[in-house]
């Protein structure tokens, strides 16, 4: 039986070895043989989408991790590996665990997970920026960069705790036997600590990205304004290897790429040190953005860390409380009620007294409801009132079913949420919202404690003229269909991506939009297979763009194919808990299900490359 055939597998109640062909056992692991092992399923058709997707992942497997694509992206990428593991868990839970273990094995001492882990067997000129550009082991020494492996010095969206929890659920017996969660939890906790403490550049409680490559949607028009402050590196100082694999018309411009290189160079030459203050100075030459998708994934992973903590015998309530506080901060700082979606905040963008200023913080959310506040103090007061109401909505919708955290129970929870919002207000409002509609502004839909009215508004915005969900778009585009910078083929300036649509499908189902979720799921599966598991596609036609045989497209296809047909009928009745707590969701087996028993499921379980990547 060849290795690809071994990946065409199903769960079966017979005894068989787990390890997939070509994957060595990670350090500290042992071969596991038990009643829920992965075995070959002869019923699978050789031409089925499942087998074709498995072929992609096998072709891109290196022995310890999976590259996004062999040509354009020949190393390991951070959020790619998280999404890949979510799909791999349906083929080989051991390989999925190995994927994440390899990535976190390159974690820095300060907690950051680098966005690239370089394969030393790949020639330096195969990808730029290459290891000799990042110089992680020397420039990153003060930040605790590993000495035995070369990495980049920036990060990518924190999907990792969510992926870890879903991989554990695929085979709890294997996971427990290998102490998978026990080994992963402290690393994931350090990763979140880094983001929450070292990257709160705006002072409002949210994590900031310091380079467009960190957010994953690298070439988004959202970055145009903050990038305009950056002096580009001269073209002669770097060579763009990406143009060897794609048309220049579909890739970032040389001007933007020069700015990417300048930002990365300055960050490296500063020892990869992160700022700790807000927007001091005029912000010239600095890049710091609070992104709604990046922070929504951080919040989702906080919920997942709470579930992991409970599996390991802790309460997990502190992490749920933190996730709720972050959700309140997300709403307070990035939600625009007038536009019906979340926007990025440029933390060095100056005063918000302009077009995206006071009307976005007005209590009614309607610019026409009254005169725009002119005074900075009055504007702050209006934002504070709006943020407090958001916190109260979160308390009502998301905390009602939380188990008591102390003797004062729900009352203490409400006070915590309110006081957290007020603390955030006192530390803000640095920067200015960026008036560009990106799919990132829809992705907080994945959050279980998102207020119902905001979730409803997000769905309406997604289905409207800017994104065309269920209408003019086959898949939801990465950028506003009516926007000035829309291009259906240019990187993150309009094409549809499979990871963002996968997240939206989950969010729709989470908030009860089952019909829309089914339609989007069908479109995802059809487009992924028809496009040859493309990196991204034209949102109108589904025409393949970028690399073919792209790993996370194949992995997320497997995840959607795995989902039972009735799963989308589940009702999430307890936001803030059930979407991530599989001990209580969907009639799952209780905590302590023995190895070989039914793996718990969550309403998020059906399992998300990012941009130019750097």
């Amino acid at each position: 039986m060849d290795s690809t055939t071994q990946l065409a597998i199903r769960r079966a109640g017979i005894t068989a070895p787990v390890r997939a062909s070509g994957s060595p056992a990670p350090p500290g692991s042992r071969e596991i043989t038990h009643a829920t092992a992965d075995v070959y399923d002869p019923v699978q058709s050789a031409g089925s989408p499942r087998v074709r997707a498995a072929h992609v992942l096998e072709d891109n497997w290196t022995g310890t991790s999976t590259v996004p694509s062999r040509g354009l992206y020949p190393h390991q990428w951070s959020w790619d590996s998280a999404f890949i593991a979510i799909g791999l868990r349906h083929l080989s839970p051991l390989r999925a665990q190995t994927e994440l273990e390899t990535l976190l094995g390159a974690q820095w001492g300060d907690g950051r997970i680098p966005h690239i882990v370089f394969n030393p067997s790949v020639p330096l000129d195969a990808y730029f920026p290459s290891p000799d550009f990042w110089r992680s082991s020397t420039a990153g020494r003060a930040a605790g960069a590993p000495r035995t492996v070369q990495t980049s010095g920036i990060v990518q969206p924190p999907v990792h705790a969510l992926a870890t929890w879903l991989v554990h659920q695929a085979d709890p017996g294997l996971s427990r036997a290998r102490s998978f969660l026990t080994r992963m939890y402290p690393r994931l906790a350090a990763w979140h600590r880094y983001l929450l403490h070292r990257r709160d550049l705006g002072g409002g409680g949210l994590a900031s990205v310091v380079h467009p490559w960190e957010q994953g949607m690298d070439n988004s028009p959202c970055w145009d304004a903050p990038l305009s402050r950056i002096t580009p590196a001269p073209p002669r100082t770097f060579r763009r290897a990406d143009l060897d694999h794609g048309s220049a018309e579909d890739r970032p411009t040389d001007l933007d790429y020069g700015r990417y290189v300048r930002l990365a160079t300055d960050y490296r030459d500063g020892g990869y040190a992160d700022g700790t203050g807000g927007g001091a100075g005029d912000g010239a030459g600095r890049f710091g953005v609070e992104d709604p998708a990046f922070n929504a994934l951080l919040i989702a992973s906080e919920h997942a860390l709470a579930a992991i903590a409970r599996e390991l015998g802790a309460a997990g309530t502190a992490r749920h409380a933190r996730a709720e506080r972050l959700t309140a901060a997300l709403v307070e700082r990035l939600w625009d009620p007038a536009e019906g979606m979340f926007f990025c905040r440029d933390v060095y963008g100056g005063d918000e007294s302009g077009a995206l200023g006071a009307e976005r913080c007005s209590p009614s959310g309607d610019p026409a409801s009254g005169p725009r506040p002119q005074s900075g103090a009055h504007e702050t007061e209006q934002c504070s009132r709006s943020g407090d109401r958001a916190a109260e909505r979160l308390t009502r919708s998301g905390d009602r079913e939380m188990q008591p955290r102390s003797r004062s129970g729900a009352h203490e929870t409400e006070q915590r949420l309110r006081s957290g919002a007020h603390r955030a207000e006192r530390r803000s409002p640095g920067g200015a919202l960026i008036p560009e509609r990106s799919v990132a502004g829809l992705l907080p839909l994945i959050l279980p404690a998102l207020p119902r009215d905001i979730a409803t508004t997000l769905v309406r915005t997604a289905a409207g003229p800017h994104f065309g969900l269920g209408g003019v778009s086959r898949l939801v585009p990465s950028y506003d269909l009516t926007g000035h910078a829309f291009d259906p083929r240019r990187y993150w300036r309009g094409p549809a991506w499979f990871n963002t649509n996968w997240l939206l499908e989950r969010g729709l189902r989470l908030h009860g939009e089952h019909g829309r979720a089914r339609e989007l799921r069908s479109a995802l599966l059809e487009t992924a297979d028809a496009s040859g598991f493309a990196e991204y596609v034209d949102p109108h036609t589904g025409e393949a763009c970028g690399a073919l045989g792209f790993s996370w497209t194949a992995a997320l296809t497997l995840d959607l194919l795995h989902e039972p047909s009735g799963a989308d009928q589940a009702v999430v009745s307890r936001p803030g808990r059930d979407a991530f707590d599989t001990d209580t969701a969907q009639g799952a087996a209780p905590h302590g299900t023995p190895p070989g028993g039914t793996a718990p499921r969550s309403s998020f379980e059906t399992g998300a490359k990012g941009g130019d990547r750097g």
Side-chain angles (χ1 to χ4, degrees), residues 187-208:
R187 291 182 174 273
L188 293 168
W191 168 221
H192 285 207
R193 223 169 18 248
Y194 167 79
L195 292 174
L196 292 170
H197 293 283
R198 299 289 297 277
R199 289 298 190 89
D200 182 11
L201 304 183
L206 299 180
S208 293

PDB file of all heavy atoms in Angstrom, residues 187-208:
ATOM      1  N   ARG A 187       3.472  25.992  25.811  1.00  0.00           N
ATOM      2  CA  ARG A 187       3.963  26.733  24.649  1.00  0.00           C
ATOM      3  C   ARG A 187       2.866  27.659  24.092  1.00  0.00           C
ATOM      4  O   ARG A 187       3.136  28.804  23.729  1.00  0.00           O
ATOM      5  CB  ARG A 187       4.435  25.769  23.565  1.00  0.00           C
ATOM      6  CG  ARG A 187       5.714  25.009  23.944  1.00  0.00           C
ATOM      7  CD  ARG A 187       6.177  24.097  22.814  1.00  0.00           C
ATOM      8  NE  ARG A 187       7.453  23.485  23.103  1.00  0.00           N
ATOM      9  CZ  ARG A 187       8.633  24.038  22.835  1.00  0.00           C
ATOM     10  NH1 ARG A 187       8.683  25.244  22.269  1.00  0.00           N
ATOM     11  NH2 ARG A 187       9.762  23.413  23.112  1.00  0.00           N
ATOM     12  N   LEU A 188       1.656  27.147  24.020  1.00  0.00           N
ATOM     13  CA  LEU A 188       0.547  27.963  23.525  1.00  0.00           C
ATOM     14  C   LEU A 188       0.242  29.114  24.481  1.00  0.00           C
ATOM     15  O   LEU A 188      -0.052  30.234  24.056  1.00  0.00           O
ATOM     16  CB  LEU A 188      -0.690  27.089  23.326  1.00  0.00           C
ATOM     17  CG  LEU A 188      -0.573  26.038  22.213  1.00  0.00           C
ATOM     18  CD1 LEU A 188      -1.719  25.038  22.302  1.00  0.00           C
ATOM     19  CD2 LEU A 188      -0.530  26.699  20.834  1.00  0.00           C
ATOM     20  N   ALA A 189       0.309  28.832  25.786  1.00  0.00           N
ATOM     21  CA  ALA A 189       0.080  29.889  26.771  1.00  0.00           C
ATOM     22  C   ALA A 189       1.131  30.992  26.643  1.00  0.00           C
ATOM     23  O   ALA A 189       0.817  32.192  26.735  1.00  0.00           O
ATOM     24  CB  ALA A 189       0.079  29.301  28.179  1.00  0.00           C
ATOM     25  N   ALA A 190       2.394  30.611  26.422  1.00  0.00           N
ATOM     26  CA  ALA A 190       3.465  31.599  26.239  1.00  0.00           C
ATOM     27  C   ALA A 190       3.247  32.420  24.968  1.00  0.00           C
ATOM     28  O   ALA A 190       3.525  33.628  24.931  1.00  0.00           O
ATOM     29  CB  ALA A 190       4.818  30.892  26.191  1.00  0.00           C
ATOM     30  N   TRP A 191       2.756  31.792  23.931  1.00  0.00           N
ATOM     31  CA  TRP A 191       2.455  32.461  22.665  1.00  0.00           C
ATOM     32  C   TRP A 191       1.382  33.532  22.881  1.00  0.00           C
ATOM     33  O   TRP A 191       1.526  34.682  22.449  1.00  0.00           O
ATOM     34  CB  TRP A 191       2.013  31.411  21.669  1.00  0.00           C
ATOM     35  CG  TRP A 191       1.379  31.772  20.376  1.00  0.00           C
ATOM     36  CD1 TRP A 191       0.314  31.128  19.798  1.00  0.00           C
ATOM     37  CD2 TRP A 191       1.763  32.782  19.417  1.00  0.00           C
ATOM     38  NE1 TRP A 191       0.008  31.674  18.584  1.00  0.00           N
ATOM     39  CE2 TRP A 191       0.885  32.691  18.325  1.00  0.00           C
ATOM     40  CE3 TRP A 191       2.762  33.745  19.410  1.00  0.00           C
ATOM     41  CZ2 TRP A 191       0.968  33.533  17.224  1.00  0.00           C
ATOM     42  CZ3 TRP A 191       2.841  34.605  18.307  1.00  0.00           C
ATOM     43  CH2 TRP A 191       1.961  34.498  17.232  1.00  0.00           C
ATOM     44  N   HIS A 192       0.315  33.177  23.579  1.00  0.00           N
ATOM     45  CA  HIS A 192      -0.738  34.156  23.826  1.00  0.00           C
ATOM     46  C   HIS A 192      -0.246  35.277  24.740  1.00  0.00           C
ATOM     47  O   HIS A 192      -0.623  36.438  24.561  1.00  0.00           O
ATOM     48  CB  HIS A 192      -1.956  33.462  24.439  1.00  0.00           C
ATOM     49  CG  HIS A 192      -2.738  32.671  23.445  1.00  0.00           C
ATOM     50  ND1 HIS A 192      -4.088  32.416  23.569  1.00  0.00           N
ATOM     51  CD2 HIS A 192      -2.365  32.065  22.281  1.00  0.00           C
ATOM     52  CE1 HIS A 192      -4.503  31.696  22.537  1.00  0.00           C
ATOM     53  NE2 HIS A 192      -3.471  31.466  21.759  1.00  0.00           N
ATOM     54  N   ARG A 193       0.588  34.919  25.715  1.00  0.00           N
ATOM     55  CA  ARG A 193       1.138  35.916  26.614  1.00  0.00           C
ATOM     56  C   ARG A 193       1.949  36.951  25.829  1.00  0.00           C
ATOM     57  O   ARG A 193       1.871  38.157  26.087  1.00  0.00           O
ATOM     58  CB  ARG A 193       2.016  35.229  27.663  1.00  0.00           C
ATOM     59  CG  ARG A 193       1.823  35.739  29.059  1.00  0.00           C
ATOM     60  CD  ARG A 193       2.466  34.915  30.147  1.00  0.00           C
ATOM     61  NE  ARG A 193       3.493  33.991  29.781  1.00  0.00           N
ATOM     62  CZ  ARG A 193       3.361  32.667  29.847  1.00  0.00           C
ATOM     63  NH1 ARG A 193       2.215  32.131  30.239  1.00  0.00           N
ATOM     64  NH2 ARG A 193       4.350  31.874  29.526  1.00  0.00           N
ATOM     65  N   TYR A 194       2.751  36.473  24.896  1.00  0.00           N
ATOM     66  CA  TYR A 194       3.546  37.376  24.062  1.00  0.00           C
ATOM     67  C   TYR A 194       2.647  38.365  23.324  1.00  0.00           C
ATOM     68  O   TYR A 194       2.897  39.578  23.316  1.00  0.00           O
ATOM     69  CB  TYR A 194       4.372  36.563  23.061  1.00  0.00           C
ATOM     70  CG  TYR A 194       4.985  37.398  21.961  1.00  0.00           C
ATOM     71  CD1 TYR A 194       6.135  38.144  22.194  1.00  0.00           C
ATOM     72  CD2 TYR A 194       4.396  37.461  20.698  1.00  0.00           C
ATOM     73  CE1 TYR A 194       6.685  38.932  21.188  1.00  0.00           C
ATOM     74  CE2 TYR A 194       4.940  38.244  19.689  1.00  0.00           C
ATOM     75  CZ  TYR A 194       6.081  38.980  19.944  1.00  0.00           C
ATOM     76  OH  TYR A 194       6.611  39.770  18.951  1.00  0.00           O
ATOM     77  N   LEU A 195       1.590  37.853  22.695  1.00  0.00           N
ATOM     78  CA  LEU A 195       0.718  38.722  21.912  1.00  0.00           C
ATOM     79  C   LEU A 195      -0.016  39.729  22.786  1.00  0.00           C
ATOM     80  O   LEU A 195      -0.159  40.905  22.428  1.00  0.00           O
ATOM     81  CB  LEU A 195      -0.295  37.878  21.131  1.00  0.00           C
ATOM     82  CG  LEU A 195       0.286  37.018  20.012  1.00  0.00           C
ATOM     83  CD1 LEU A 195      -0.799  36.123  19.429  1.00  0.00           C
ATOM     84  CD2 LEU A 195       0.895  37.888  18.908  1.00  0.00           C
ATOM     85  N   LEU A 196      -0.493  39.290  23.934  1.00  0.00           N
ATOM     86  CA  LEU A 196      -1.314  40.152  24.781  1.00  0.00           C
ATOM     87  C   LEU A 196      -0.496  41.183  25.542  1.00  0.00           C
ATOM     88  O   LEU A 196      -1.014  42.255  25.873  1.00  0.00           O
ATOM     89  CB  LEU A 196      -2.124  39.297  25.754  1.00  0.00           C
ATOM     90  CG  LEU A 196      -3.212  38.426  25.097  1.00  0.00           C
ATOM     91  CD1 LEU A 196      -3.788  37.437  26.091  1.00  0.00           C
ATOM     92  CD2 LEU A 196      -4.314  39.301  24.515  1.00  0.00           C
ATOM     93  N   HIS A 197       0.755  40.882  25.817  1.00  0.00           N
ATOM     94  CA  HIS A 197       1.573  41.806  26.601  1.00  0.00           C
ATOM     95  C   HIS A 197       2.557  42.598  25.753  1.00  0.00           C
ATOM     96  O   HIS A 197       2.712  43.808  25.941  1.00  0.00           O
ATOM     97  CB  HIS A 197       2.316  41.039  27.704  1.00  0.00           C
ATOM     98  CG  HIS A 197       1.408  40.472  28.738  1.00  0.00           C
ATOM     99  ND1 HIS A 197       0.837  41.218  29.729  1.00  0.00           N
ATOM    100  CD2 HIS A 197       0.930  39.208  28.916  1.00  0.00           C
ATOM    101  CE1 HIS A 197       0.067  40.455  30.493  1.00  0.00           C
ATOM    102  NE2 HIS A 197       0.111  39.234  30.011  1.00  0.00           N
ATOM    103  N   ARG A 198       3.212  41.934  24.811  1.00  0.00           N
ATOM    104  CA  ARG A 198       4.233  42.619  24.027  1.00  0.00           C
ATOM    105  C   ARG A 198       3.648  43.332  22.810  1.00  0.00           C
ATOM    106  O   ARG A 198       4.273  44.246  22.269  1.00  0.00           O
ATOM    107  CB  ARG A 198       5.291  41.606  23.556  1.00  0.00           C
ATOM    108  CG  ARG A 198       6.021  40.903  24.683  1.00  0.00           C
ATOM    109  CD  ARG A 198       6.972  41.840  25.409  1.00  0.00           C
ATOM    110  NE  ARG A 198       8.017  42.305  24.514  1.00  0.00           N
ATOM    111  CZ  ARG A 198       9.124  41.616  24.235  1.00  0.00           C
ATOM    112  NH1 ARG A 198       9.325  40.425  24.787  1.00  0.00           N
ATOM    113  NH2 ARG A 198      10.037  42.100  23.410  1.00  0.00           N
ATOM    114  N   ARG A 199       2.496  42.931  22.362  1.00  0.00           N
ATOM    115  CA  ARG A 199       1.933  43.495  21.140  1.00  0.00           C
ATOM    116  C   ARG A 199       0.712  44.391  21.360  1.00  0.00           C
ATOM    117  O   ARG A 199       0.015  44.718  20.408  1.00  0.00           O
ATOM    118  CB  ARG A 199       1.586  42.359  20.177  1.00  0.00           C
ATOM    119  CG  ARG A 199       2.792  41.665  19.564  1.00  0.00           C
ATOM    120  CD  ARG A 199       3.630  42.646  18.725  1.00  0.00           C
ATOM    121  NE  ARG A 199       4.651  41.968  17.947  1.00  0.00           N
ATOM    122  CZ  ARG A 199       4.459  41.501  16.721  1.00  0.00           C
ATOM    123  NH1 ARG A 199       3.287  41.656  16.147  1.00  0.00           N
ATOM    124  NH2 ARG A 199       5.430  40.892  16.094  1.00  0.00           N
ATOM    125  N   ASP A 200       0.437  44.775  22.585  1.00  0.00           N
ATOM    126  CA  ASP A 200      -0.655  45.715  22.829  1.00  0.00           C
ATOM    127  C   ASP A 200      -0.144  47.131  22.575  1.00  0.00           C
ATOM    128  O   ASP A 200      -0.025  47.960  23.477  1.00  0.00           O
ATOM    129  CB  ASP A 200      -1.181  45.566  24.263  1.00  0.00           C
ATOM    130  CG  ASP A 200      -2.365  46.490  24.548  1.00  0.00           C
ATOM    131  OD1 ASP A 200      -2.907  47.079  23.595  1.00  0.00           O
ATOM    132  OD2 ASP A 200      -2.731  46.616  25.736  1.00  0.00           O
ATOM    133  N   LEU A 201       0.141  47.425  21.322  1.00  0.00           N
ATOM    134  CA  LEU A 201       0.772  48.693  20.972  1.00  0.00           C
ATOM    135  C   LEU A 201      -0.196  49.860  21.051  1.00  0.00           C
ATOM    136  O   LEU A 201       0.217  51.004  21.255  1.00  0.00           O
ATOM    137  CB  LEU A 201       1.367  48.610  19.561  1.00  0.00           C
ATOM    138  CG  LEU A 201       2.362  47.476  19.304  1.00  0.00           C
ATOM    139  CD1 LEU A 201       2.912  47.577  17.883  1.00  0.00           C
ATOM    140  CD2 LEU A 201       3.498  47.502  20.321  1.00  0.00           C
ATOM    141  N   GLY A 202      -1.486  49.603  20.872  1.00  0.00           N
ATOM    142  CA  GLY A 202      -2.470  50.673  20.921  1.00  0.00           C
ATOM    143  C   GLY A 202      -2.976  50.969  22.314  1.00  0.00           C
ATOM    144  O   GLY A 202      -3.706  51.942  22.515  1.00  0.00           O
ATOM    145  N   GLY A 203      -2.618  50.139  23.291  1.00  0.00           N
ATOM    146  CA  GLY A 203      -3.024  50.374  24.667  1.00  0.00           C
ATOM    147  C   GLY A 203      -4.464  50.056  24.972  1.00  0.00           C
ATOM    148  O   GLY A 203      -4.947  50.353  26.059  1.00  0.00           O
ATOM    149  N   GLY A 204      -5.182  49.421  24.048  1.00  0.00           N
ATOM    150  CA  GLY A 204      -6.592  49.119  24.278  1.00  0.00           C
ATOM    151  C   GLY A 204      -6.878  47.668  24.558  1.00  0.00           C
ATOM    152  O   GLY A 204      -8.042  47.258  24.598  1.00  0.00           O
ATOM    153  N   GLY A 205      -5.844  46.863  24.744  1.00  0.00           N
ATOM    154  CA  GLY A 205      -6.044  45.462  25.079  1.00  0.00           C
ATOM    155  C   GLY A 205      -5.956  44.496  23.925  1.00  0.00           C
ATOM    156  O   GLY A 205      -5.936  43.282  24.135  1.00  0.00           O
ATOM    157  N   LEU A 206      -5.905  44.982  22.686  1.00  0.00           N
ATOM    158  CA  LEU A 206      -5.832  44.115  21.520  1.00  0.00           C
ATOM    159  C   LEU A 206      -4.385  43.974  21.040  1.00  0.00           C
ATOM    160  O   LEU A 206      -3.554  44.847  21.281  1.00  0.00           O
ATOM    161  CB  LEU A 206      -6.691  44.665  20.377  1.00  0.00           C
ATOM    162  CG  LEU A 206      -8.182  44.805  20.645  1.00  0.00           C
ATOM    163  CD1 LEU A 206      -8.884  45.361  19.406  1.00  0.00           C
ATOM    164  CD2 LEU A 206      -8.809  43.478  21.059  1.00  0.00           C
ATOM    165  N   ALA A 207      -4.103  42.868  20.349  1.00  0.00           N
ATOM    166  CA  ALA A 207      -2.779  42.652  19.772  1.00  0.00           C
ATOM    167  C   ALA A 207      -2.643  43.410  18.454  1.00  0.00           C
ATOM    168  O   ALA A 207      -3.600  43.484  17.671  1.00  0.00           O
ATOM    169  CB  ALA A 207      -2.542  41.161  19.533  1.00  0.00           C
ATOM    170  N   SER A 208      -1.475  43.970  18.213  1.00  0.00           N
ATOM    171  CA  SER A 208      -1.188  44.659  16.957  1.00  0.00           C
ATOM    172  C   SER A 208      -0.215  43.842  16.118  1.00  0.00           C
ATOM    173  O   SER A 208       0.632  43.123  16.652  1.00  0.00           O
ATOM    174  CB  SER A 208      -0.551  46.032  17.223  1.00  0.00           C
ATOM    175  OG  SER A 208      -1.445  46.915  17.851  1.00  0.00           O
TER     176      SER A 208
END
